[in-house]
Each structure stands twice: as C-alpha cells, then as structure tokens.
Amino acid sequence: MSGERRFPDGFLWGCATAAHHVEGNNHNCDWWEFEQRGGILTGDSADPACDQYRRFREDFQLLRRMNNNAHRLSIEWSRIEPAPGEFDVAQIEHYRQVLLELRDQGMAPMVTLHHFTSPIWFARQGGWAAAGAHEAWLPFVRRVADELGELVAFWCTLNEPNIYAYQGWLAGEFPPAHRGDLRGAYRVLANMRRGHEAAYDALSRLTPAVPVGVAQHKWLMLPATRGRRRDRFAAGAAQFFMDRWPAGRRWLRVVEAPADYLGLNHYTGSLVAFSVRHAGEGFGRRFNPPDLPVSDFDWPVEPSWLRTCLEQLRRLRKPIYVTENGLATTDDRRRVEFLHDVLGQLWLAIQDGADVRGYFHFSSHDNFEWARGYSMRFGLVGVDWKTQERTVKPSGRVFAQIAQSNSLPESLS
Ligand code: BGC
C-alpha cells in the first residue's frame, strides 16, 4: 500500500478501560467477592491493579503525551451507590475530578455505566438475572447523568451484554460463575435490553447533547467450509445468538437497539462446523482456523475481520466507534504489527463508506484482566506490578505517532 492514509478530521484516538481493570481498591462489588472465593484463575488480586484510582492524573497526562484525544472508562456503580438508594457524595466528587482531568488534558470521555462489575447488594438480589434488575440500575444512571453529565462526551450504557451473560451464566468464568444456566443467561440478556432502553431514554432526556450507545462484542462466527450448507447453518445459528438479545418472543440485534452511535468491541472469531454431538451449542463445533496466529488468549488474530464487522455495521447508517480492539501478547513487536494491520483495515472500511469516527485501543495500560488476572498483557503502556512504574511500549509510541498525524505511515517504523 502506498500513499498517505489519512483518517477523517476530528477522528478520536483513545484507549479503553473499565474501573475494575485499572483502579484498585474496588471492594464493594461482586468481582471482589468472587476474588475472595478464589474465582481468579491465576490467584491474582485486583487490588491494587494499576492503582489508577489514585494515579489517574499522571496516567491521563501520559495518555495525552501519547496524543490520545479521547478516553473510554467506566464509572463504578458500587462506589457511587454502595447500598440501594444511598449515594456516596465523596465518590461522585472523585469521578468529577477524573472527568475534569480528562477535560483539562483535552480528552473526550466516553463513560461506560456497566462494565462487568455490580454492587454486592445488587448481585445478592440476583444481579441482572433478577426480575426488575433494570429498575434497580436506573437510579445510579440518573444520578450520574445529573451530577456528571455536563463533563461527559459519550455515554456507553452497557459493555458486552453477550460476553457478560455467557461468561457469568454459561461458562462460569465470571461471577456468579453459573455453568450451563441457559435460563439465567436468557434473563440477563432480557433485563440488559430493558436496562439499555430505559437508560437510553433517561440519558437522552437528562443530557440531550450527549450521544448514547452500547458496546456490543462482535465475535465472528464463520462456516468451517463455505461450500457446506450445514456449516453455514451452524455458523449462522452461533452468530444469531452472539448478536441478539430477547424482546418478548423475538430476538433482536443489539446493534439495532435505540442508540445514537454504534459501539463495536472486536477481537477475534471462530470457525464453526456442523456437529450433531454439539446440540447444546446450536449444533456447531467451534475451533480456531489452523492457519492463523493466535494471541496469548488463544484467540485467532485476523486484522481483516475488523473490516468485515464494520462492513456489516455500515448498513445501519449510524456513526460508529470502535469501542475496543487489541491484542493480548507479551511480545510487543506483535502489537506494533497488529496496530498497523488492523488500523489499515479500519482505514479501508472508512474508504468503503463506514462512518467510523473513533478508535479506542484496548488497553492503555497492562491491567487486571478479569479471571485471568495479570497474565494477559493488552497495554500500550507496561506497568511494573511491584513499583507501579509505567513504561510506554514501542506500540504506545507507534499509536502516539498515528494519533498525532491522524494518518497511517506507509511502513512500520
Ligand atoms: C471486554 C474487556 C476485556 C477484553 C479482553 C472485552 O471482551 O470488554 O473488559 O478485558 O475483552 O478480554
């Protein structure tokens, strides 16, 4: 590829995090309880993670020096509303300072209102699987909008309802660690849909100038053999349940939910072959394409899949933000190469007509990767877990250059 590949003016370059990934000292949520019960596969603790609850100023200053002009973060519900209907003024003030610092650093905040963690009181009531869960969530949503809305550039109501329901109620890797609980997963998805719709209405009313969306995870399901109808059927069924949530008797695409923009989290995909022995998984056996490299998570890496996802979203004719994309690897040279390749695909998608307005890399810092603790390295910035010292990786410098020039260089530097 030759010639300059520029991104649209005003394109947002940022990184994505959730509170529990980076903040530390987050003890009033279900993930902390889960950790105390031995739920983290590596035995690691999310305290202090990157200690960003205290170090947010220096972290944001660093990201600004890396030319980020936006940042995706979550506001921790369990801090703001430690007991039902009880709001902690000091914690609201803390997040005000966080958002003000982003503003001072010239970074547009995208604020996620639920990113995998829930207050212990909510989890004890059955969490998102319980009847009325969406109503229990709304007072928090409204309070944050009222108090902090003027400092927010984008709302992201929920992070990845599909992965959340799957990991918590089917695979057992996230709290409440149910396995094979199809009814539970169904209820979670149904309640999250209600929660998103109610939050969309409330936020649109309270902060009409702030676009509202949801970050949907797109795991591509591809037929193992394109020419085989049964494989196409199995892949289609797997994609159907990956992409939708229930609304009464219907299953609606999450990307067609009320939203002002489309938020895409994309990392990987699977091949799916029809198999009668996999009835529980929609008659599909999922596996990695044998010819593709994998990340440390054992997820296949194929940068062109991002373009495929964007091509599908393009038809919905809404602004798109890539709300997460990245690579788990300890070999940062691979991340440098990945950035060039995947951003090249993003640029091509824009040339195809996709209205992509921003890219949030996952993640800014190496951080606490849920059940995998500190074993997965997604960051542009390394963190020394003993001293909390930050070191910008070569990939961080590449990202900074791309963000600064708002274009892709012809070759790897
Ligand atoms: C989630 C992140 C997570 C990342 C890597 C995404 O599914 O939104 O919270 O850390 O994947 O596993």
Side-chain angles (χ1 to χ4, degrees):
M1 169 85 50
S2 68
E4 200 193 24
R5 288 172 293 166
R6 279 197 69 74
F7 286 84
D9 288 346
F11 196 80
L12 295 184
W13 294 101
C15 295
T17 60
H20 206 64
H21 281 133
V22 290
E23 284 185 351
N25 192 27
N26 191 22
H27 293 185
N28 199 19
C29 70
D30 54 349
W31 270 88
W32 182 251
E33 274 202 328
F34 185 57
E35 180 179 320
Q36 305 316 299
R37 296 201 306 269
I40 309 304
L41 302 172
T42 52
D44 290 327
S45 171
D47 202 6
C50 305
D51 193 25
Q52 196 174 83
Y53 186 83
R54 296 191 304 147
R55 295 168 194 259
F56 66 91
R57 291 186 201 281
E58 58 176 276
D59 280 347
F60 295 166
Q61 284 158 18
L62 178 61
L63 292 175
R64 185 58 208 171
R65 287 202 295 280
M66 291 163 68
N67 304 314
N68 286 219
N69 59 6
H71 188 64
R72 178 171 174 233
L73 73 166
S74 73
I75 289 190
E76 177 62 33
W77 178 12
S78 63
R79 292 193 197 273
I80 302 279
E81 192 182 3
E86 210 175 275
F87 292 91
D88 187 327
V89 179
Q91 296 295 345
I92 294 175
E93 184 52 30
H94 167 79
Y95 284 108
R96 192 186 315 284
Q97 294 307 316
V98 167
L99 296 172
L100 281 168
E101 182 66 32
L102 284 171
R103 191 180 70 182
D104 290 352
Q105 295 301 329
M107 289 191 279
M110 176 180 282
V111 170
T112 309
L113 292 164
H114 188 273
H115 193 138
F116 295 171
T117 47
S118 301
I120 288 174
W121 62 262
F122 177 76
R124 292 225 172 111
Q125 292 173 2
W128 282 100
H134 62 293
E135 280 154 9
W137 183 54
L138 277 181
F140 158 72
V141 172
R142 288 198 209 100
R143 186 65 177 248
V144 172
D146 273 341
E147 302 261 6
L148 304 172
E150 61 183 6
L151 297 171
V152 172
F154 301 90
W155 296 115
C156 175
T157 56
L158 302 169
N159 185 67
E160 303 186 340
N162 51 0
I163 298 298
Y164 179 73
Y166 174 80
Q167 292 285 39
W169 279 263
L170 297 176
E173 215 179 271
F174 288 7
H178 293 190
R179 282 178 202 275
D181 178 2
L182 277 172
R183 273 167 194 267
Y186 178 92
R187 286 201 301 263
V188 168
L189 287 171
N191 287 332
M192 285 191 135
R193 181 188 62 74
R194 294 186 184 103
H196 167 74
E197 288 180 1
Y200 180 80
D201 286 347
L203 294 167
S204 306
R205 206 166 14 85
L206 293 168
T207 55
V210 185
V212 186
V214 49
Q216 170 67 351
H217 185 107
K218 183 80 182 188
W219 188 298
L220 277 181
M221 299 292 180
L222 303 162
T225 309
R226 280 198 180 280
R228 282 184 75 201
R229 234 171 59 151
R230 288 187 307 175
D231 288 358
R232 290 202 303 275
F233 162 79
Q239 195 74 70
F240 184 98
F241 288 108
M242 175 64 66
D243 291 353
R244 291 171 191 249
W245 50 15
R249 290 202 187 150
R250 292 185 308 155
W251 283 81
L252 303 178
R253 291 172 76 202
V254 175
V255 294
E256 289 179 22
D260 304 316
Y261 70 88
L262 303 171
L264 169 68
N265 288 7
H266 169 70
Y267 292 85
T268 190
S270 300
L271 293 183
V272 186
F274 180 84
S275 154
V276 279
R277 274 182 288 146
H278 290 73
E281 290 142 74
F283 295 101
R285 181 174 63 84
R286 298 176 192 179
F287 58 99
N288 288 349
D291 48 340
L292 288 183
V294 292
S295 72
D296 289 356
F297 240 123
D298 198 34
W299 295 345
V301 182
E302 175 45 85
S304 72
W305 285 345
L306 180 67
R307 187 179 177 191
T308 308
C309 298
L310 292 169
E311 168 63 24
Q312 293 173 7
L313 293 183
R314 179 167 75 92
R315 298 174 208 149
L316 297 169
R317 298 182 178 280
K318 282 192 183 169
I320 304 169
Y321 292 88
V322 176
T323 37
E324 275 181 42
N325 172 254
L327 179 70
T329 179
T330 49
D331 178 356
D332 195 57
R333 283 169 307 182
R334 287 191 67 196
R335 191 175 350 267
V336 169
E337 219 173 279
F338 174 77
L339 273 176
H340 279 271
D341 292 345
V342 87
L343 293 175
Q345 295 296 326
L346 176 59
W347 183 84
L348 285 172
I350 295 173
Q351 308 318 299
D352 294 340
D355 184 9
V356 188
R357 301 196 183 174
Y359 173 86
F360 292 85
H361 187 74
F362 187 82
S363 185
S364 55
H365 296 68
D366 286 338
N367 62 39
F368 182 79
E369 172 52 36
W370 307 112
R372 307 301 174 101
Y374 300 104
S375 64
M376 294 296 155
R377 303 294 163 92
F378 278 100
L380 299 175
V381 177
V383 176
D384 180 320
W385 301 118
K386 288 204 185 81
T387 62
Q388 288 290 342
E389 195 189 333
R390 275 61 169 147
T391 309
V392 179
K393 300 180 191 178
S395 58
R397 290 196 285 276
V398 165
F399 190 75
Q401 266 170 19
I402 294 171
Q404 186 181 37
S405 62
N406 199 28
S407 68
L408 286 176
E410 274 183 39
S411 57
L412 284 175
S413 48

